[in-house]
């Protein structure tokens, strides 16, 4: 089956596939004594992906090409929500699963997980998340631009907002809660800046990480008298909106690898204000109980 072609149902039916796979394992162990199905066999050679178009999915396609031992493997595409649901189900049953994962993410607060080593560095090393604004924004709205430029937080900060979103708190409320608990840090971002006016147009991809950063900076701008207008877009269209001046700013450029392609295709057409978060990461993530340490430990499909 070609998982890549299927939408969200692919993610849902994967659990059925896994269940079916479990029983195959039982049958075969009956035949061959204590021979255990390999991780690849148990997973039907499928990595659990997220939305196609995400940087991590592009990197995963590269991993499938670059690692010879991943011959015959595929990545399912569904959504981040389905991925985390499947991860949770697998962990409840102590079953194997390999997901496309990233940091910051609440799953690391919730479960014992590990990144598979990536000796070919297909997923890059440590990443940073940058704030990017349209050309002319700093001139048009210097105070708002200064706040965006000062915005800097840690993976733990972002993870805590993501966890609240996952627990069902509305994004605006989750952002307000974080600000309330971190007012000193926020005061540093707005230090010396007069109350402003006007609307700041923020673009973001509706991933929890981006929902978190965008709502936090939006609430901070609102505290300083600005209005904000939040638009959701895909990652490519988001870069394009900034490049064409339709949006003022975004806080979600994962670099250098994850969104490097988009960054390069619009380079020179926006202003990069630098990192708002250091220590991000993407890769293949598995539960700690799995006996796999490196992408190279996985076996090719027979
Ligand atoms: N993510 C979350 C995105 C960026 C933010 C890692 C899923 C991506 O892969 O493009």
């Amino acid at each position: 089956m070609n998982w890549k072609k299927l939408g969200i149902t692919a993610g849902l039916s994967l659990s059925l596939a896994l269940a079916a796979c479990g029983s195959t394992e039982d049958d075969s162990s009956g035949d061959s004594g204590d021979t255990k199905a390999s991780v690849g066999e148990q997973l039907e050679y499928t990595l659990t992906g997220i939305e196609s178009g995400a940087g991590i999915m592009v990197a995963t396609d590269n991993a499938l090409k670059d690692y010879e031992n991943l011959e015959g493997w595929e990545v399912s595409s569904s959504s981040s929500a389905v991925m985390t649901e499947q991860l949770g189900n697998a962990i409840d049953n102590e079953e194997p699963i390999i997901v496309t994962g990233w940091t910051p993410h609440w799953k690391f607060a919730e479960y014992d997980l590990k990144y598979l080593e990536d000796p070919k560095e297909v997923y890059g090393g440590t990443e940073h998340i940058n704030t990017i604004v349209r050309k002319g924004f700093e001139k048009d709205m210097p105070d708002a631009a200064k706040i965006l430029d000062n915005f800097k937080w840690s993976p733990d900060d972002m993870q805590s907002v993501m966890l609240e979103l996952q627990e069902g708190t509305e994004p605006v409320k989750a952002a307000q809660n974080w600000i309330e608990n971190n007012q000193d840090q926020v005061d540093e971002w707005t230090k010396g800046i007069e109350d402003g006016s006007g609307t700041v147009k923020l673009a973001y991809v509706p991933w929890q990480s981006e929902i978190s950063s965008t709502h936090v900076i939006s609430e901070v701008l609102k505290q300083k008298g600005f209005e904000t207008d939040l638009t959701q877009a895909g990652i490519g269209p988001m870069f394009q909106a900034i490049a064409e001046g339709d949006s003022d700013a975004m806080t979600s450029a994962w670099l250098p690898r994850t969104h490097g392609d988009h960054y390069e295709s619009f380079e020179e057409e926006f202003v990069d204000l630098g990192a708002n978060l250091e220590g991000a990461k993407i890769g293949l993530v598995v539960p700690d109980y799995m006996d796999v340490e490196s992408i190279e430990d996985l076996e090719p499909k027979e």
Side-chain angles (χ1 to χ4, degrees):
M1 192 184 305
N2 187 348
W3 295 108
K4 287 176 201 161
K5 294 247 166 63
L6 302 173
I8 207 156
T9 45
L12 295 173
S13 56
L14 180 62
S15 27
L16 300 174
L18 284 172
C21 184
S23 51
T24 321
E25 189 198 338
D26 290 347
D27 295 349
S28 62
S29 62
D31 297 339
S32 50
D34 51 11
T35 314
K36 236 184 141 233
S38 71
V39 170
E41 280 175 287
Q42 293 179 67
L43 297 178
E44 294 197 332
Y45 302 94
T46 303
L47 309 170
T48 302
I50 57 164
E51 297 84 357
S52 53
I56 196 170
M57 293 295 276
V58 177
T60 302
D61 282 337
N62 291 335
L64 293 177
K65 284 188 216 116
D66 292 358
Y67 282 99
E68 277 158 31
N69 60 300
L70 292 183
E71 176 80 52
W73 283 73
E74 296 189 34
V75 57
S76 65
S77 65
S78 55
S79 69
S80 305
V82 168
M83 178 276 284
T84 53
E85 194 186 315
Q86 289 180 343
L87 178 65
N89 289 342
I91 289 173
D92 285 347
N93 299 307
E94 260 207 55
E95 285 168 353
I97 186 163
I98 305 174
V99 302
T100 58
W102 59 95
T103 308
H105 193 285
W106 57 263
K107 60 184 175 286
F108 289 98
E110 201 78 353
Y111 308 120
D112 289 329
L113 302 171
K114 61 187 176 189
Y115 279 95
L116 293 184
E117 285 157 30
D118 170 25
K120 291 185 192 283
E121 294 192 3
V122 173
Y123 291 96
T126 310
E127 300 232 305
H128 43 94
I129 308 179
N130 284 22
T131 301
I132 283 172
V133 299
R134 68 166 167 84
K135 281 187 168 175
F137 178 66
E138 290 160 294
K139 194 168 145 276
D140 298 343
M141 300 187 85
D143 292 329
K146 193 84 198 95
I147 295 171
L148 279 154
D149 195 17
N150 291 343
F151 168 47
K152 208 167 178 13
W153 62 345
S154 71
D156 282 347
D157 291 328
M158 181 187 265
Q159 181 179 294
S160 69
V161 181
M162 292 175 79
L163 189 57
E164 251 205 274
L165 296 179
Q166 180 58 23
E167 285 163 353
T169 308
E170 289 300 318
V172 169
K173 186 75 186 115
Q176 287 169 347
N177 290 344
W178 185 86
I179 291 169
E180 216 177 285
N181 293 328
N182 296 272
Q183 194 64 54
D184 289 353
Q185 192 174 339
V186 172
D187 288 345
E188 289 295 314
W189 307 341
T190 57
K191 204 162 146 186
I193 293 169
E194 302 280 306
D195 272 5
S197 61
T199 303
V200 182
K201 290 192 255 173
L202 299 168
Y204 69 106
V205 185
W207 284 308
Q208 283 172 329
S209 42
E210 290 24 88
I211 295 173
S212 301
S213 60
T214 308
H215 283 81
V216 165
I217 198 65
S218 166
E219 290 308 304
V220 172
L221 287 164
K222 281 155 76 179
Q223 272 192 354
K224 292 302 289 182
F226 296 96
E227 287 179 36
T228 58
D229 176 3
L230 274 54
T231 306
Q232 295 187 357
I235 182 75
M238 178 174 74
F239 270 90
Q240 189 172 357
I242 303 284
E244 292 177 355
D246 294 334
S247 286
D248 292 320
M250 63 159 166
T251 55
S252 43
W254 287 53
L255 298 166
R257 184 67 55 95
T258 310
H259 300 147
D261 294 353
H262 299 288
Y263 187 93
E264 276 162 31
S265 50
F266 292 104
E267 205 162 5
E268 311 293 323
E269 299 175 58
F270 55 72
V271 179
D272 184 351
L273 297 182
N276 59 59
L277 182 147
E278 314 256 7
K281 185 171 168 58
I282 64 169
L284 292 180
V285 170
V286 301
D288 245 348
Y289 55 72
M290 279 178 71
D291 193 16
V292 192
E293 302 304 329
S294 166
I295 297 176
E296 289 188 330
D297 293 344
L298 301 171
E299 289 148 37
K301 190 172 179 178
E302 301 277 296

